[in-house]
mmCIF file of all heavy atoms in Angstrom:
data_model
loop_
_atom_site.group_PDB
_atom_site.id
_atom_site.type_symbol
_atom_site.label_atom_id
_atom_site.label_comp_id
_atom_site.label_asym_id
_atom_site.label_seq_id
_atom_site.Cartn_x
_atom_site.Cartn_y
_atom_site.Cartn_z
ATOM 1 N N ALA I 193 85.588 83.524 72.999
ATOM 2 C CA ALA I 193 85.218 83.189 71.621
ATOM 3 C C ALA I 193 86.210 82.167 71.066
ATOM 4 O O ALA I 193 87.419 82.262 71.310
ATOM 5 C CB ALA I 193 85.226 84.450 70.752
ATOM 6 N N GLU I 194 85.709 81.202 70.314
ATOM 7 C CA GLU I 194 86.576 80.131 69.831
ATOM 8 C C GLU I 194 87.698 80.651 68.942
ATOM 9 O O GLU I 194 88.810 80.118 68.955
ATOM 10 C CB GLU I 194 85.750 79.064 69.119
ATOM 11 C CG GLU I 194 84.844 78.297 70.069
ATOM 12 C CD GLU I 194 84.249 77.051 69.449
ATOM 13 O OE1 GLU I 194 84.334 76.897 68.211
ATOM 14 O OE2 GLU I 194 83.698 76.216 70.195
ATOM 15 N N GLU I 195 87.443 81.702 68.189
ATOM 16 C CA GLU I 195 88.489 82.239 67.307
ATOM 17 C C GLU I 195 89.602 82.923 68.086
ATOM 18 O O GLU I 195 90.663 83.241 67.516
ATOM 19 C CB GLU I 195 87.895 83.208 66.279
ATOM 20 C CG GLU I 195 87.201 84.421 66.861
ATOM 21 C CD GLU I 195 85.718 84.214 67.084
ATOM 22 O OE1 GLU I 195 85.291 83.043 67.252
ATOM 23 O OE2 GLU I 195 84.984 85.222 67.089
ATOM 24 N N ASP I 196 89.403 83.149 69.377
ATOM 25 C CA ASP I 196 90.432 83.768 70.214
ATOM 26 C C ASP I 196 91.272 82.758 70.999
ATOM 27 O O ASP I 196 92.221 83.147 71.694
ATOM 28 C CB ASP I 196 89.779 84.732 71.229
ATOM 29 C CG ASP I 196 89.144 85.939 70.569
ATOM 30 O OD1 ASP I 196 89.557 86.287 69.445
ATOM 31 O OD2 ASP I 196 88.226 86.527 71.176
ATOM 32 N N LEU I 197 90.957 81.477 70.925
ATOM 33 C CA LEU I 197 91.563 80.495 71.833
ATOM 34 C C LEU I 197 93.044 80.258 71.570
ATOM 35 O O LEU I 197 93.795 79.956 72.502
ATOM 36 C CB LEU I 197 90.798 79.165 71.756
ATOM 37 C CG LEU I 197 89.333 79.245 72.184
ATOM 38 C CD1 LEU I 197 88.703 77.870 72.131
ATOM 39 C CD2 LEU I 197 89.201 79.844 73.583
ATOM 40 N N ASN I 198 93.487 80.312 70.317
ATOM 41 C CA ASN I 198 94.924 80.260 69.989
ATOM 42 C C ASN I 198 95.619 79.071 70.654
ATOM 43 O O ASN I 198 96.621 79.219 71.366
ATOM 44 C CB ASN I 198 95.591 81.571 70.420
ATOM 45 C CG ASN I 198 96.940 81.778 69.725
ATOM 46 O OD1 ASN I 198 97.275 81.087 68.758
ATOM 47 N ND2 ASN I 198 97.720 82.722 70.217
ATOM 48 N N LEU I 199 95.097 77.878 70.412
ATOM 49 C CA LEU I 199 95.613 76.685 71.070
ATOM 50 C C LEU I 199 97.042 76.329 70.664
ATOM 51 O O LEU I 199 97.693 75.519 71.342
ATOM 52 C CB LEU I 199 94.678 75.501 70.799
ATOM 53 C CG LEU I 199 93.261 75.634 71.376
ATOM 54 C CD1 LEU I 199 92.442 74.392 71.041
ATOM 55 C CD2 LEU I 199 93.293 75.863 72.878
ATOM 56 N N ARG I 200 97.552 76.936 69.609
ATOM 57 C CA ARG I 200 98.959 76.707 69.249
ATOM 58 C C ARG I 200 99.912 77.244 70.323
ATOM 59 O O ARG I 200 101.103 76.918 70.327
ATOM 60 C CB ARG I 200 99.281 77.355 67.898
ATOM 61 C CG ARG I 200 98.593 76.698 66.716
ATOM 62 C CD ARG I 200 99.067 77.306 65.395
ATOM 63 N NE ARG I 200 98.258 76.858 64.272
ATOM 64 C CZ ARG I 200 98.447 75.722 63.599
ATOM 65 N NH1 ARG I 200 99.430 74.917 63.962
ATOM 66 N NH2 ARG I 200 97.672 75.404 62.586
ATOM 67 N N CYS I 201 99.363 78.031 71.247
ATOM 68 C CA CYS I 201 100.198 78.495 72.363
ATOM 69 C C CYS I 201 100.602 77.343 73.285
ATOM 70 O O CYS I 201 101.588 77.473 74.026
ATOM 71 C CB CYS I 201 99.449 79.555 73.184
ATOM 72 S SG CYS I 201 99.421 81.190 72.421
ATOM 73 N N ILE I 202 99.873 76.247 73.255
ATOM 74 C CA ILE I 202 100.203 75.126 74.147
ATOM 75 C C ILE I 202 101.585 74.569 73.820
ATOM 76 O O ILE I 202 102.459 74.535 74.704
ATOM 77 C CB ILE I 202 99.101 74.049 74.101
ATOM 78 C CG1 ILE I 202 97.807 74.610 74.692
ATOM 79 C CG2 ILE I 202 99.539 72.780 74.841
ATOM 80 C CD1 ILE I 202 96.586 73.750 74.451
ATOM 81 N N PRO I 203 101.859 74.137 72.582
ATOM 82 C CA PRO I 203 103.230 73.694 72.287
ATOM 83 C C PRO I 203 104.251 74.827 72.352
ATOM 84 O O PRO I 203 105.418 74.591 72.683
ATOM 85 C CB PRO I 203 103.128 73.100 70.878
ATOM 86 C CG PRO I 203 101.888 73.682 70.285
ATOM 87 C CD PRO I 203 100.948 73.903 71.431
ATOM 88 N N ALA I 204 103.822 76.067 72.071
ATOM 89 C CA ALA I 204 104.759 77.191 72.142
ATOM 90 C C ALA I 204 105.232 77.415 73.580
ATOM 91 O O ALA I 204 106.423 77.653 73.827
ATOM 92 C CB ALA I 204 104.100 78.457 71.593
ATOM 93 N N LEU I 205 104.317 77.348 74.533
ATOM 94 C CA LEU I 205 104.695 77.496 75.945
ATOM 95 C C LEU I 205 105.592 76.343 76.398
ATOM 96 O O LEU I 205 106.567 76.552 77.123
ATOM 97 C CB LEU I 205 103.444 77.558 76.822
ATOM 98 C CG LEU I 205 102.617 78.851 76.768
ATOM 99 C CD1 LEU I 205 101.276 78.645 77.454
ATOM 100 C CD2 LEU I 205 103.369 80.009 77.400
ATOM 101 N N ALA I 206 105.250 75.133 75.954
ATOM 102 C CA ALA I 206 106.060 73.971 76.332
ATOM 103 C C ALA I 206 107.483 74.110 75.818
ATOM 104 O O ALA I 206 108.455 73.785 76.519
ATOM 105 C CB ALA I 206 105.415 72.697 75.798
ATOM 106 N N GLU I 207 107.636 74.607 74.586
ATOM 107 C CA GLU I 207 108.969 74.766 74.010
ATOM 108 C C GLU I 207 109.740 75.886 74.703
ATOM 109 O O GLU I 207 110.929 75.742 75.004
ATOM 110 C CB GLU I 207 108.865 75.062 72.509
ATOM 111 C CG GLU I 207 110.202 75.227 71.823
ATOM 112 C CD GLU I 207 110.073 75.462 70.333
ATOM 113 O OE1 GLU I 207 108.941 75.506 69.816
ATOM 114 O OE2 GLU I 207 111.129 75.614 69.669
ATOM 115 N N ARG I 208 109.077 76.996 74.979
ATOM 116 C CA ARG I 208 109.770 78.141 75.572
ATOM 117 C C ARG I 208 110.231 77.845 76.999
ATOM 118 O O ARG I 208 111.349 78.212 77.384
ATOM 119 C CB ARG I 208 108.844 79.361 75.573
ATOM 120 C CG ARG I 208 109.481 80.621 76.194
ATOM 121 C CD ARG I 208 108.508 81.778 76.167
ATOM 122 N NE ARG I 208 109.039 82.959 76.819
ATOM 123 C CZ ARG I 208 109.682 83.958 76.202
ATOM 124 N NH1 ARG I 208 109.886 83.890 74.898
ATOM 125 N NH2 ARG I 208 110.124 84.997 76.884
ATOM 126 N N TYR I 209 109.377 77.171 77.795
ATOM 127 C CA TYR I 209 109.683 77.012 79.216
ATOM 128 C C TYR I 209 110.135 75.600 79.595
ATOM 129 O O TYR I 209 110.564 75.389 80.731
ATOM 130 C CB TYR I 209 108.465 77.420 80.051
ATOM 131 C CG TYR I 209 108.137 78.886 79.891
ATOM 132 C CD1 TYR I 209 107.078 79.298 79.088
ATOM 133 C CD2 TYR I 209 108.916 79.867 80.506
ATOM 134 C CE1 TYR I 209 106.778 80.650 78.917
ATOM 135 C CE2 TYR I 209 108.632 81.215 80.338
ATOM 136 C CZ TYR I 209 107.565 81.600 79.544
ATOM 137 O OH TYR I 209 107.288 82.935 79.365
ATOM 138 N N GLY I 210 110.020 74.655 78.666
ATOM 139 C CA GLY I 210 110.464 73.303 78.969
ATOM 140 C C GLY I 210 109.747 72.706 80.165
ATOM 141 O O GLY I 210 110.356 72.061 81.021
ATOM 142 N N CYS I 211 108.439 72.902 80.222
ATOM 143 C CA CYS I 211 107.646 72.431 81.365
ATOM 144 C C CYS I 211 106.329 71.858 80.862
ATOM 145 O O CYS I 211 105.949 72.077 79.706
ATOM 146 C CB CYS I 211 107.373 73.588 82.326
ATOM 147 S SG CYS I 211 106.244 74.835 81.655
ATOM 148 N N PRO I 212 105.604 71.125 81.709
ATOM 149 C CA PRO I 212 104.268 70.662 81.311
ATOM 150 C C PRO I 212 103.337 71.857 81.088
ATOM 151 O O PRO I 212 103.430 72.870 81.786
ATOM 152 C CB PRO I 212 103.809 69.814 82.502
ATOM 153 C CG PRO I 212 105.028 69.541 83.307
ATOM 154 C CD PRO I 212 105.965 70.671 83.069
ATOM 155 N N VAL I 213 102.435 71.707 80.130
ATOM 156 C CA VAL I 213 101.481 72.771 79.821
ATOM 157 C C VAL I 213 100.083 72.163 79.742
ATOM 158 O O VAL I 213 99.887 71.095 79.157
ATOM 159 C CB VAL I 213 101.822 73.473 78.491
ATOM 160 C CG1 VAL I 213 100.766 74.523 78.141
ATOM 161 C CG2 VAL I 213 103.197 74.126 78.583
ATOM 162 N N GLY I 214 99.131 72.838 80.354
ATOM 163 C CA GLY I 214 97.736 72.432 80.289
ATOM 164 C C GLY I 214 96.891 73.518 79.660
ATOM 165 O O GLY I 214 97.405 74.479 79.081
ATOM 166 N N TYR I 215 95.586 73.379 79.790
ATOM 167 C CA TYR I 215 94.657 74.333 79.189
ATOM 168 C C TYR I 215 93.510 74.612 80.147
ATOM 169 O O TYR I 215 92.851 73.686 80.628
ATOM 170 C CB TYR I 215 94.113 73.784 77.872
ATOM 171 C CG TYR I 215 93.072 74.676 77.229
ATOM 172 C CD1 TYR I 215 93.384 75.986 76.857
ATOM 173 C CD2 TYR I 215 91.778 74.217 76.989
ATOM 174 C CE1 TYR I 215 92.440 76.804 76.273
ATOM 175 C CE2 TYR I 215 90.824 75.030 76.407
ATOM 176 C CZ TYR I 215 91.164 76.320 76.055
ATOM 177 O OH TYR I 215 90.220 77.144 75.479
ATOM 178 N N SER I 216 93.287 75.874 80.428
ATOM 179 C CA SER I 216 92.151 76.318 81.226
ATOM 180 C C SER I 216 91.196 77.059 80.303
ATOM 181 O O SER I 216 91.496 78.166 79.845
ATOM 182 C CB SER I 216 92.625 77.236 82.362
ATOM 183 O OG SER I 216 91.529 77.685 83.127
ATOM 184 N N GLY I 217 90.068 76.422 79.984
ATOM 185 C CA GLY I 217 89.176 76.955 78.964
ATOM 186 C C GLY I 217 87.952 77.636 79.534
ATOM 187 O O GLY I 217 87.406 77.215 80.559
ATOM 188 N N HIS I 218 87.491 78.680 78.837
ATOM 189 C CA HIS I 218 86.287 79.403 79.245
ATOM 190 C C HIS I 218 85.265 79.481 78.119
ATOM 191 O O HIS I 218 84.301 80.232 78.208
ATOM 192 C CB HIS I 218 86.652 80.823 79.707
ATOM 193 C CG HIS I 218 87.594 80.847 80.859
ATOM 194 N ND1 HIS I 218 88.832 81.448 80.802
ATOM 195 C CD2 HIS I 218 87.496 80.312 82.100
ATOM 196 C CE1 HIS I 218 89.458 81.286 81.958
ATOM 197 N NE2 HIS I 218 88.668 80.600 82.760
ATOM 198 N N GLU I 219 85.479 78.702 77.062
ATOM 199 C CA GLU I 219 84.510 78.665 75.972
ATOM 200 C C GLU I 219 83.324 77.788 76.379
ATOM 201 O O GLU I 219 83.474 76.881 77.206
ATOM 202 C CB GLU I 219 85.157 78.137 74.684
ATOM 203 C CG GLU I 219 85.575 76.680 74.733
ATOM 204 C CD GLU I 219 86.900 76.444 75.435
ATOM 205 O OE1 GLU I 219 87.525 77.427 75.886
ATOM 206 O OE2 GLU I 219 87.305 75.267 75.540
ATOM 207 N N PRO I 220 82.143 78.037 75.820
ATOM 208 C CA PRO I 220 80.971 77.253 76.232
ATOM 209 C C PRO I 220 80.879 75.879 75.586
ATOM 210 O O PRO I 220 79.973 75.111 75.918
ATOM 211 C CB PRO I 220 79.794 78.143 75.799
ATOM 212 C CG PRO I 220 80.328 78.957 74.672
ATOM 213 C CD PRO I 220 81.780 79.185 74.975
ATOM 214 N N SER I 221 81.804 75.541 74.690
ATOM 215 C CA SER I 221 81.741 74.278 73.968
ATOM 216 C C SER I 221 82.776 73.291 74.493
ATOM 217 O O SER I 221 83.652 73.637 75.281
ATOM 218 C CB SER I 221 81.949 74.512 72.465
ATOM 219 O OG SER I 221 83.170 75.186 72.241
ATOM 220 N N VAL I 222 82.691 72.051 74.020
ATOM 221 C CA VAL I 222 83.535 70.965 74.503
ATOM 222 C C VAL I 222 84.759 70.737 73.623
ATOM 223 O O VAL I 222 85.864 70.495 74.122
ATOM 224 C CB VAL I 222 82.692 69.662 74.589
ATOM 225 C CG1 VAL I 222 83.583 68.440 74.755
ATOM 226 C CG2 VAL I 222 81.692 69.753 75.734
#
Side-chain angles (χ1 to χ4, degrees):
E194 292 193 347
E195 60 268 25
D196 293 336
L197 298 183
N198 198 13
L199 296 180
R200 292 186 190 275
C201 282
I202 294 168
L205 287 168
E207 181 178 0
R208 179 180 176 94
Y209 296 103
C211 69
V213 177
Y215 176 60
S216 179
H218 300 120
E219 67 280 359
S221 56
V222 166

